[in-house]
Amino acid sequence: MRVVPKTSARLLSLLSLLQARRDWPGALLAERLRVSARTVRRDVDRLRELGYPIESAKGPDGGYRLGAGSALPPLLFDDEQAVALTVALQTAAGGVTGIEEAAARALTTVRQVMPARLRHRVDALRVVDVQRAGTPDRHRVEPALLMTLSAAVHAREELRFDYESVSASAPDAPPRRVQPHHLVTWGGRWYLLAWDLDRDDWRTFRVDRISPRTPTGPRFTPRELPGGDVAAYVAGRFKGATGPGDWPCRGEVILDLPARVVSGWTRDGIVEALGPDRCRLVLGGWSWPGLAAVLGRYDADIEVVGPPELREAFARLARRYAAAAEPNTADADRPAPG
């Protein structure tokens, strides 16, 4: 004899199925729940009474879809989803102000409805978002500003905004006019990637320095981003590259260190073993002196393979460091304390 699950358990199973995929034929739902199509219809009506916006599809097969409603009904999460949601809520306020209290209340709500076995796991998972010492809080932005910019990106509407420059040399600068394409994060900050209409080029703007003006401008046709990859393009811009994804200065050296040691301290470089205690390293930087200084941090003998600009940068730093190592005449004549 077939065992029919209780109504409450069956409703939870039905809701879980509706959340798992976009469209469900009625016959397939009945088969998965091991009930009749009529029972499925009654269960769908019960879920609607509870606030779930379930849409019906017309046609010979019929079907159902969980739509978006005006209010948020109860949700179902599996164990992995619940843990992921807990971590996300604990770190949600790391880059956006104004949502700390809401995130804490949401975390409390999720925790209260968790089964005991999962609640114990989540309670043991405490995530602390630590900011670097001396990092200013100006990169934290209000949710309303993110929503405004995101809406303009989605609607493809031109934006006008006042932009707080790094220097205060242009307090009366005219508003910027851009075609917003993407909101991105880099190094804990929010940026707007947009086509600058006045400068006829791509620009990245720090969101915390943007003060939008209303209304928005006309709609625009999106341009094709160079390279087509947003992440690669933004990374290249912050490296100072003229093209997407590469450093403006790239050099090659041989270090008297094992490749396994060098690779452990190299994030954006190519390490090739040349022996048990030697390796080849190709690395990039914003400038030749900066790249030479980074290579000096490996604290090993260095042989420059190329290019000549890197060798000249090492010579320049050598002279500078040698001068810094010379005793200061004024300090030498000053009497010792005590």
Side-chain angles (χ1 to χ4, degrees), residues 10 35-44 46:
R10 195 175 62 246
V35 295
S36 65
R38 181 180 179 183
T39 300
V40 171
R41 289 193 296 271
R42 288 202 303 263
D43 288 347
V44 167
R46 291 189 179 100

Side-chain angles (χ1 to χ4, degrees), residues 61 85 138 188 201 208 212 226 246 261 297 302 332:
D61 296 332
L85 181 61
R138 292 183 58 208
D201 195 7
D208 62 308
D246 200 6
V261 174
R297 294 191 307 173
I302 302 173

Side-chain angles (χ1 to χ4, degrees), residues 272-328:
E272 176 188 357
L274 300 179
D277 297 315
R278 297 187 75 203
C279 68
R280 185 189 311 274
L281 172 62
V282 179
L283 198 64
W286 292 6
S287 67
W288 294 113
L291 178 56
V294 169
L295 291 168
R297 294 191 307 173
Y298 287 94
D299 193 21
D301 290 340
I302 302 173
E303 176 187 341
V304 178
V305 178
E309 291 84 354
L310 180 58
R311 188 174 289 104
E312 294 171 3
F314 271 113
R316 192 179 316 137
L317 289 182
R319 293 191 295 269
R320 190 173 298 162
Y321 290 160
E326 293 294 330
N328 190 299

Side-chain angles (χ1 to χ4, degrees), residues 39-309:
T39 300
V40 171
R41 289 193 296 271
R42 288 202 303 263
D43 288 347
V44 167
D45 290 337
R46 291 189 179 100
L47 288 177
R48 287 169 175 162
E49 292 174 357
L50 294 174
Y52 292 95
I54 302 176
E55 303 170 358
S56 298
K58 297 180 180 180
D61 296 332
Y64 302 96
R65 171 189 300 175
L66 185 61
S70 59
L72 183 65
L75 301 175
L76 289 180
F77 298 102
D78 58 30
D79 289 7
E80 291 182 352
Q81 289 174 323
V83 172
L85 181 61
T86 302
V87 175
L89 289 172
Q90 291 189 47
T91 58
V96 184
T97 56
I99 65 170
E100 297 88 346
E101 181 183 352
R105 287 191 286 109
L107 181 60
T108 300
T109 301
V110 171
R111 183 187 177 280
Q112 286 176 343
V113 298
M114 286 181 177
R117 57 177 176 77
L118 190 55
R119 190 182 306 123
H120 294 322
R121 290 179 57 191
V122 167
D123 288 343
L125 183 62
R126 293 298 179 186
V127 181
V128 179
D129 185 24
V130 179
Q131 300 291 326
R132 290 184 302 173
T135 300
D137 289 335
R138 292 183 58 208
H139 66 278
R140 298 164 68 88
V141 300
E142 296 292 337
L145 178 56
L146 288 178
M147 294 298 293
T148 298
L149 299 180
S150 179
V153 171
H154 181 73
R156 299 175 180 175
E157 293 177 342
E158 293 181 4
L159 276 176
R160 294 184 308 124
F161 55 81
D162 296 314
Y163 192 65
E164 181 184 351
S165 177
V166 177
S167 63
S169 57
D172 298 326
R176 307 297 288 265
R177 299 185 312 116
V178 304
Q179 295 176 345
H181 280 69
H182 299 280
L183 270 175
V184 299
T185 59
W186 176 273
R189 288 189 171 96
W190 285 93
Y191 292 89
L192 176 67
L193 177 59
W195 177 264
D196 194 311
L197 293 168
D198 295 321
R199 290 156 180 79
D200 199 31
D201 195 7
W202 291 96
R203 291 289 189 271
T204 53
F205 301 92
R206 273 183 50 173
V207 170
D208 62 308
R209 294 175 177 168
I210 292 177
S211 298
R213 292 194 178 192
T214 54
T216 56
R219 300 193 61 168
F220 63 90
T221 301
R223 299 171 184 268
E224 184 176 352
L225 188 68
D229 189 311
V230 177
Y233 182 83
V234 172
R237 275 301 180 100
F238 281 101
K239 291 175 182 178
T242 55
D246 200 6
W247 294 99
C249 302
R250 183 171 290 273
E252 180 179 341
V253 298
I254 295 177
L255 299 176
D256 286 347
L257 280 176
R260 58 178 177 80
V261 174
V262 174
S263 61
W265 297 95
T266 304
R267 292 183 56 189
D268 189 18
I270 301 174
V271 182
E272 176 188 357
L274 300 179
D277 297 315
R278 297 187 75 203
C279 68
R280 185 189 311 274
L281 172 62
V282 179
L283 198 64
W286 292 6
S287 67
W288 294 113
L291 178 56
V294 169
L295 291 168
R297 294 191 307 173
Y298 287 94
D299 193 21
D301 290 340
I302 302 173
E303 176 187 341
V304 178
V305 178
E309 291 84 354

